[in-house]
Amino acid sequence: MEPQSHNPRQDTASKLSDTLRWAFELDQSPALAGATWLTREIIPDAKDPFDAILAAGTSLDALRELKNAYKMLRTTGVTAAERSLAARLYAATIAAAAVRHKTAISTQNAAALKRAYTELAEDDSMPEALRDIASLALTSQPPEPR
Amino acid sequence: MSSHRNSSMTQTNWDLIRDAAGSTPTSQASLEEVARRSWPAIYAFIRASGRSPDDATELTQGFICDVFLSRHLLEKADQSRGRFRTLVMGSVRNYLADMHRRKTATTRRPKHGSIGRLDDLAERTSEPAGIPALTPEAAFNSRYVASIIRATTERLQRTLLEQGDEAGWEIFRLRVLQPSLEGTAASYDEIAPRFGLGKGACAAKLLLVKRRFAAMLMEELRATVDDPADLHSEVADLLALLSR
């Protein structure tokens, strides 16, 4: 294979385009855009937050980092819709760690967790698989913290 | 950075040019601001038109003094307000044709004040590789967008540091600016411990800073269009121009 020729014009234009494009998209973004961007910073090949949380291959460490990211977005999101979504994703990461890894990654008390799982399980705007994992967490034994 | 520079961030380019062409106490500061914003793109257009670096510097200075300050641009702006970018590019093209006809080479000076700052600006204007190989229009647009991004970045840095958010600035610098300049981003594993953060919290902090940058960038671009409703089509046009 022949080496690709270096084109400084394309490099510069491409970098400028990228910066301008993401700034424009962030300026226009719906609630999911921020959470998706955050998710890909932690799991680069994730399609979206739901995909990352539900994937069987997502490690406990990755779930913990996702949880911390969504936890911050829960309070710093720019719209109520974004903060609400982040709260659901936050609960979902804790539920996924509990169900798939049998590990508690949150220090929240049992009552608060039960409330968060219940709200997620009953939220019909969330994907069904995410709601299912919250339902499973509600019925499973409380995991050991690790 | 002067206080005028800070206050001018909310001014449109039209306001600045009017002030620069006038005789108000802030005219000199406005001239310097207009020159700072416009110089790289104008220089790039002229350089890509086949002029030597020295000639391009001289002609850029001449354009700013002759056209911005003689109110030629203002007259056009008042006749047909719209996008600052297209008006300036068209004016530079006409100016070069006019200069070619007249073959004048005298150094131009603004009617009020020193041009020491303009000379400084010219000296500080580094020429990116590849400008002479571009069309004048591509060179202009590329440097125009780069200037706006640079001004926004400087404003972001100033704002974050004034607010004591050194971590926010450093994370942005290492994850966003460094890759665009050097091609490689520092990993979260390297960055996060420096600020006592986990990877997830570090990413969430970066999202906040990127959003501030995006808002500031849109504000800068908004100042270049007369009608705020034109902002989206201006951004779309710039993206299309840069992808050619």
Side-chain angles (χ1 to χ4, degrees):
Chain A
M1 186 184 292
E2 294 201 1
Q4 289 187 325
S5 63
H6 178 68
N7 185 333
R9 178 190 170 183
Q10 280 185 340
D11 286 354
T12 304
S14 169
K15 284 170 190 164
L16 293 173
S17 294
D18 288 348
T19 305
L20 194 58
R21 184 171 289 110
W22 68 246
F24 190 50
E25 286 169 358
L26 276 178
D27 192 54
Q28 306 284 300
S29 71
L32 189 57
T36 299
W37 184 87
L38 267 183
T39 303
R40 288 181 183 154
E41 286 290 281
I42 294 159
I43 304 176
D45 56 353
K47 191 178 92 189
D48 56 38
F50 312 122
D51 177 58
I53 295 168
L54 293 169
T58 300
S59 70
L60 187 62
D61 280 348
L63 283 173
R64 194 176 271 120
E65 296 302 347
L66 288 172
K67 180 206 73 169
N68 292 336
Y70 302 143
K71 182 181 181 182
M72 197 159 161
L73 188 63
R74 199 176 54 159
T75 53
T76 60
V78 289
T79 63
E82 183 172 63
R83 292 190 293 274
S84 173
L85 172 66
R88 295 284 185 262
L89 296 173
Y90 171 68
T93 54
I94 299 168
V99 170
R100 287 209 308 273
H101 298 278
K102 311 296 181 205
T103 302
I105 60 170
S106 168
T107 55
Q108 288 203 45
N109 63 44
L113 280 177
K114 184 179 178 185
R115 191 166 54 245
Y117 292 158
T118 302
E119 286 173 358
L120 173 57
E122 292 175 353
D123 186 346
D124 58 12
S125 71
M126 291 290 111
E128 196 171 338
L130 209 67
R131 297 168 62 191
D132 287 347
I133 212 160
S135 298
L136 280 172
L138 273 170
T139 56
S140 62
Q141 287 285 340
E144 291 295 317
R146 206 192 303 167
Chain B
M1 202 67 68
S2 70
S3 58
H4 174 79
R5 169 82 183 95
N6 291 335
S7 64
S8 73
M9 293 310 306
T10 54
Q11 285 186 278
T12 67
N13 285 288
W14 306 124
D15 293 335
L16 281 173
I17 292 169
R18 281 203 179 79
D19 194 37
S23 302
T24 71
T26 57
S27 291
Q28 181 68 22
S30 291
L31 167 62
E32 288 170 7
E33 179 62 15
V34 169
R36 192 192 67 81
R37 289 187 186 188
S38 310
W39 188 290
I42 296 167
Y43 174 88
F45 184 99
I46 297 172
R47 182 82 175 94
S49 300
R51 269 67 170 191
S52 69
D54 285 348
D55 285 349
T57 300
E58 173 75 13
L59 285 162
T60 302
Q61 185 156 297
F63 175 81
I64 287 175
C65 294
D66 287 353
V67 180
F68 276 7
L69 300 186
S70 70
R71 302 187 66 84
H72 291 166
L73 199 66
L74 290 179
E75 287 164 12
K76 286 185 183 176
D78 285 336
Q79 285 162 11
S80 171
R81 288 175 65 115
R83 297 181 194 182
F84 181 76
R85 176 175 57 84
T86 51
L87 180 65
V88 172
M89 188 159 55
S91 297
V92 177
R93 190 183 291 114
N94 293 338
Y95 180 78
L96 288 183
D98 193 38
M99 283 296 107
H100 183 68
R101 279 193 296 271
R102 287 200 274 159
K103 293 274 188 189
T104 55
T106 48
T107 301
R108 286 152 197 88
R109 304 284 171 192
K111 64 186 176 187
H112 55 272
S114 159
I115 61 163
R117 298 291 292 273
L118 288 178
D119 291 335
D120 292 345
L121 185 56
E123 284 172 15
R124 285 192 285 112
T125 303
S126 59
E127 180 176 305
I131 277 191
L134 301 180
T135 66
E137 289 79 10
F140 182 95
N141 285 317
S142 174
R143 295 296 287 159
Y144 178 82
V145 175
S147 294
I148 290 175
I149 289 173
R150 187 170 61 182
T152 307
T153 304
E154 289 169 358
R155 184 182 168 200
L156 178 75
Q157 178 184 19
R158 195 170 55 245
T159 304
L160 291 174
L161 295 184
E162 279 172 4
Q163 293 172 349
D165 191 3
E166 188 184 343
W169 166 250
E170 278 297 296
I171 294 166
F172 182 79
R173 186 178 70 79
L174 294 167
R175 288 289 298 176
V176 178
L177 293 185
Q178 186 172 289
S180 70
L181 295 171
E182 298 168 19
T184 54
S187 72
Y188 282 116
D189 291 336
E190 294 171 59
I191 301 170
R194 286 174 49 186
F195 302 105
L197 298 169
K199 186 176 175 181
C202 194
K205 191 165 187 57
L206 178 56
L207 178 64
L208 283 178
V209 177
K210 284 186 76 161
R211 282 188 157 150
R212 291 189 77 171
F213 179 82
M216 287 178 179
L217 183 57
M218 288 302 118
E219 198 175 306
E220 286 278 346
L221 286 166
R222 206 168 280 124
T224 70
V225 294
D226 185 48
D227 182 351
D230 286 341
L231 176 64
H232 291 181
S233 57
E234 171 68 348
V235 173
D237 285 355
L238 285 170
L239 285 171
L241 288 165
L242 289 170
S243 67
R244 279 182 193 163

